[in-house]
Amino acid sequence: MSKTTASDPAPSAAEEQELGDAGSQLSTAPKEDAPHLPALGVIGWARWFWRQLTSMRVALLLLLLLSLGAIPGSLIPQSGSDETKVADFRKAHPTLGDVYDKIGMFHVYSSVWFSAIYILLFVSLIGCIVPRTWQFVGQLRGLPPGAPRRLNRLPAHTTWRTTAEPEQVHRAALTLLKKRRFRTHLTGDAVAAEKGYLRELGNLAFHIALIVMLIAFAWGQLYKSEGNKLVVEGDGFSNTLTQYDDFKSGNLFTSDDLVPFSFNLKKFTGTYERSGPNKGTPRVYKADITYSSGAYGKDETDTVEVNHPLEIGDSKVYLVSHGYAPVVTVRDAKGKVVFDDAVPLLPLDGNVTSSGVVKVLDGYRNAKGEKEQLGFNAFFVPTFGGHASGTMLSQFPALDNPLLALSAYHGDLGADSGIPQSVYQMDRTNMKEFKDSKGKLFKKLLKPGETMELPNGAGSVTFGKDIKEWAGFQVVQQPGSGWALAGALAAIGGLAASLFIQRRRVWVRAVTGADGVTVVEMAGLGRSESAKVPEELGHLAGDLYEQAPGAPDDPADSPDTDQEPGTEPPVPAEGAEK
């Protein structure tokens, strides 16, 4: 085997150049130029700024800043997702709220500073990837560089003498290396081979995937829409802006972008764990609906469950909440029905203790024949624990023992003032309480089928036996989500390839020695120090040795620094072989 002694002279400048050429273009990373001041003038400063912006260190810094910038968007209420929480925050922290307003903390993802980081990162990645991509394409179209004059200067190296002719060794080396998926060619007296291009391809794929994710994120934020709708059993929904209870969208979204569809809620089914530590936990939670796509679409049936949305075009309909809607019938002083409808109430806890308001806006006349409006605060429990429990809280989410508590008011609800009102709250500014015999607020607990008679013959309220359920749906239109997922998967695959695949080169030289015996040299070089290159070279040398075995008359040892005979299969060592 070959030996390199410590007395080997230092490589000359020409040899250093040869080694540099051998290791060139193992990566598409741009070369670092020596630091220097830019030329004076606008063009010089622009060139310097562009080089800094498209450097990898700046890209990583911008990526870090983008991650840090997203933190307040997760911790601070955002006006785009919950305006009520933003208003509550401003009320609780007026000074801090003014500061947050000025720096855009209540709308982080559309703020100027976040957009600036986002755009700079986008430009940086493109400016970094484009030249590296062209360089990589050039490497794929080119051939591996020729072998250095002294292969024993490379980190992994071995040599032996053989009776096979140099041409025979070259043919065997080409066949072997191609079989191991190396790109090979014969240059001069050596075979040059290279593999591991997937490392650079993975690196480029990772950065391109980041760009795809940035575009998909921006696209989704600009054209997204998200609306919520509460639908009672038997009622329906049409995908128009006026049908939503609340709706928010991206800056470039228009009503024309809404996917045309409609659906009816036929039945909501909810069953719950009856005992054990998970008592009250939903076991079945689904909404049976009939839907149609487009203006004249055919009716179809489907079931919407948690995490199993209904997909219609680019829209997804999620089941997000559930509650009860007691049927309430209100009659005036003459017994005329002025209100008969299911009133959805909002749950307050996990056992669906619910509250809301019953509003009678039109048609009611009191005992004197005067027009008035009625309002009732409603409190509902699906499973009443009984008076002995001492609490008006539901004991279980199912309708085991429903009870409705009503307190009555009359007057002007302010619905005609033109000011928007919540259907779940009552403005009592111009309302008067109905009084009981003790002069207190008139209220009563009702079981299904029971009726509450209002004082002084003002009418009655009946709690119907039919208690309907409602389901809350969220309709989401998020374009670009598929591209974002594809980009994320491609980024993971590209990162894995760049981390676990090594770019390496192998050279096999076979020349006729002074004594007429062929001398074979093999050497390997990787992008970075790794035990894989010497190990792989050892396997390749062993396979090639079987086709070009050592000369039988090789001496066992030789002090020659460039050539070493041997009859055993060569095994290269990491570092300089000794």
Side-chain angles (χ1 to χ4, degrees):
M1 298 179 69
S2 173
K3 294 183 179 180
T4 303
T5 63
S7 60
D8 280 351
S12 64
E15 291 176 345
E16 289 286 358
Q17 180 64 36
E18 283 185 344
L19 293 176
D21 293 340
S24 65
Q25 295 185 346
L26 273 173
S27 169
T28 56
K31 296 181 180 179
E32 294 287 344
D33 297 330
H36 59 277
L37 292 176
L40 295 177
V42 177
I43 297 178
W45 281 105
R47 185 185 297 114
W48 177 84
F49 176 79
W50 176 254
R51 288 179 178 176
Q52 298 303 312
L53 180 60
T54 56
S55 65
M56 188 56 64
R57 65 174 68 90
V58 172
L60 293 175
L61 177 61
L62 290 172
L63 188 60
L64 175 62
L65 290 177
L66 193 70
S67 302
L68 294 177
I71 294 176
S74 302
L75 301 179
I76 300 174
Q78 299 295 292
S79 57
S81 58
D82 198 333
E83 190 67 48
T84 302
K85 288 185 177 180
V86 174
D88 292 341
F89 186 92
R90 286 195 180 105
K91 185 177 180 180
H93 310 281
T95 303
L96 189 58
D98 291 339
V99 175
Y100 282 179
D101 265 329
K102 292 179 180 178
I103 61 178
M105 285 298 179
F106 290 128
H107 50 92
V108 168
Y109 302 113
S110 59
S111 63
V112 175
W113 58 269
F114 190 86
S115 300
I117 298 174
Y118 189 91
I119 294 173
L120 285 175
L121 177 60
F122 185 79
V123 174
S124 177
L125 287 174
I126 292 180
C128 180
I129 289 174
V130 170
R132 294 186 67 164
T133 301
W134 285 117
Q135 184 179 349
F136 182 63
V137 171
Q139 292 179 17
L140 291 178
R141 297 178 62 184
L143 296 173
R149 187 173 64 87
R150 301 188 66 181
L151 290 177
N152 60 351
R153 295 291 186 185
L154 297 180
H157 167 259
T158 189
T159 182
W160 72 95
R161 291 157 56 88
T162 179
T163 55
E165 296 295 327
E167 293 78 9
Q168 182 182 350
V169 175
H170 290 155
R171 287 194 300 270
L174 287 170
T175 302
L176 173 63
L177 292 170
K178 287 180 179 179
K179 185 178 179 181
R180 299 293 181 88
R181 299 188 300 277
F182 279 84
R183 294 180 63 204
T184 62
H185 74 112
L186 180 63
T187 170
D189 59 358
V191 173
E194 185 173 2
K195 73 182 302 186
Y197 290 91
L198 285 179
R199 178 189 179 94
E200 292 302 321
L201 183 61
N203 191 14
L204 293 173
F206 171 75
H207 290 86
I208 293 173
L210 288 181
I211 293 180
V212 172
M213 293 172 64
L214 288 174
I215 295 175
F217 178 78
W219 183 16
Q221 290 298 311
L222 291 173
Y223 290 95
K224 73 174 182 178
S225 68
E226 181 180 300
N228 295 286
K229 178 63 178 179
L230 185 152
V231 183
V232 179
E233 287 177 329
D235 292 343
F237 166 78
S238 179
N239 193 26
T240 59
L241 290 179
T242 57
Q243 289 278 299
Y244 284 99
D245 296 331
D246 61 81
F247 185 85
K248 52 183 177 290
S249 62
N251 295 334
L252 300 182
F253 181 87
T254 65
S255 59
D256 295 335
D257 296 324
L258 288 172
V259 177
F261 70 88
S262 61
F263 68 84
N264 291 316
L265 175 60
K266 294 301 182 182
K267 181 178 178 57
F268 179 88
T269 303
T271 61
Y272 308 89
E273 190 69 44
R274 287 284 175 178
S275 60
N278 295 322
K279 181 180 179 180
T281 303
R283 293 176 60 89
V284 176
Y285 213 65
K286 63 181 182 178
D288 297 323
I289 65 172
T290 301
Y291 73 95
S292 62
S293 302
Y296 306 102
K298 184 180 179 181
D299 287 345
E300 300 182 54
T301 59
D302 203 344
T303 299
V304 183
E305 300 181 64
V306 177
N307 296 326
H308 290 83
L310 170 68
E311 297 188 27
I312 305 176
D314 293 333
S315 291
K316 292 184 179 180
V317 182
Y318 293 90
L319 176 64
V320 295
S321 57
H322 156 258
Y324 294 103
V327 177
V328 177
T329 303
V330 181
R331 292 177 172 83
D332 64 9
K334 294 183 178 181
K336 177 185 176 182
V337 175
V338 294
F339 182 89
D340 185 13
D341 202 357
V343 181
L345 304 179
L346 299 181
L348 302 176
D349 57 27
N351 286 326
V352 203
T353 302
S354 308
S355 68
V357 175
V358 181
K359 296 182 181 182
V360 181
L361 301 177
D362 299 309
Y364 172 77
R365 291 180 182 270
N366 59 22
K368 297 179 181 180
E370 298 172 343
K371 289 185 177 181
E372 278 191 314
Q373 294 177 336
L374 297 180
F376 302 89
N377 280 330
F379 199 82
F380 176 78
V381 289
T383 301
F384 182 51
H387 295 285
S389 65
T391 178
M392 188 61 179
L393 294 176
S394 178
Q395 306 300 306
F396 196 73
L399 293 171
D400 292 345
N401 185 23
L403 191 71
L404 178 65
L406 294 175
S407 56
Y409 299 82
H410 64 99
D412 183 7
L413 289 168
D416 300 328
S417 63
I419 301 176
Q421 291 186 347
S422 170
V423 296
Y424 306 107
Q425 296 179 341
M426 179 170 54
D427 182 3
R428 295 186 296 180
T429 304
N430 298 314
M431 299 293 287
K432 298 178 181 179
E433 298 177 349
F434 279 103
K435 302 291 185 178
D436 59 15
S437 58
K438 297 180 181 180
K440 296 183 179 180
L441 173 65
F442 184 77
K443 53 187 178 181
K444 191 172 182 180
L445 298 179
L446 300 176
K447 292 183 178 180
E450 293 184 345
T451 299
M452 177 178 74
E453 297 291 339
L454 296 176
N456 304 319
S460 64
V461 182
T462 301
F463 176 22
K465 293 183 179 180
D466 181 21
I467 302 175
K468 295 186 178 182
E469 301 187 47
W470 59 260
F473 296 95
Q474 185 177 71
V475 182
V476 178
Q477 203 165 318
Q478 185 80 36
S481 56
W483 284 101
L485 176 61
L489 295 177
I492 294 173
L495 184 61
S498 64
L499 290 177
F500 298 109
I501 297 177
Q502 186 177 17
R503 185 96 170 264
R504 62 267 194 200
R505 291 170 178 163
V506 171
W507 293 274
V508 180
R509 173 178 286 136
V511 295
T512 303
D515 55 357
V517 179
T518 301
V519 178
V520 180
E521 288 185 286
M522 291 186 69
L525 180 65
R527 177 179 174 182
S528 58
E529 292 293 333
S530 171
K532 185 175 182 179
V533 173
E535 180 182 351
E536 184 177 40
L537 187 65
H539 292 304
L540 292 172
D543 291 342
L544 184 59
Y545 187 88
E546 293 179 357
Q547 302 182 50
D553 58 342
D554 285 350
D557 248 330
S558 173
D560 193 311
T561 60
D562 290 326
Q563 298 181 7
E564 168 68 22
T567 57
E568 297 298 326
V571 179
E574 186 176 1
E577 188 178 346
K578 296 185 179 180

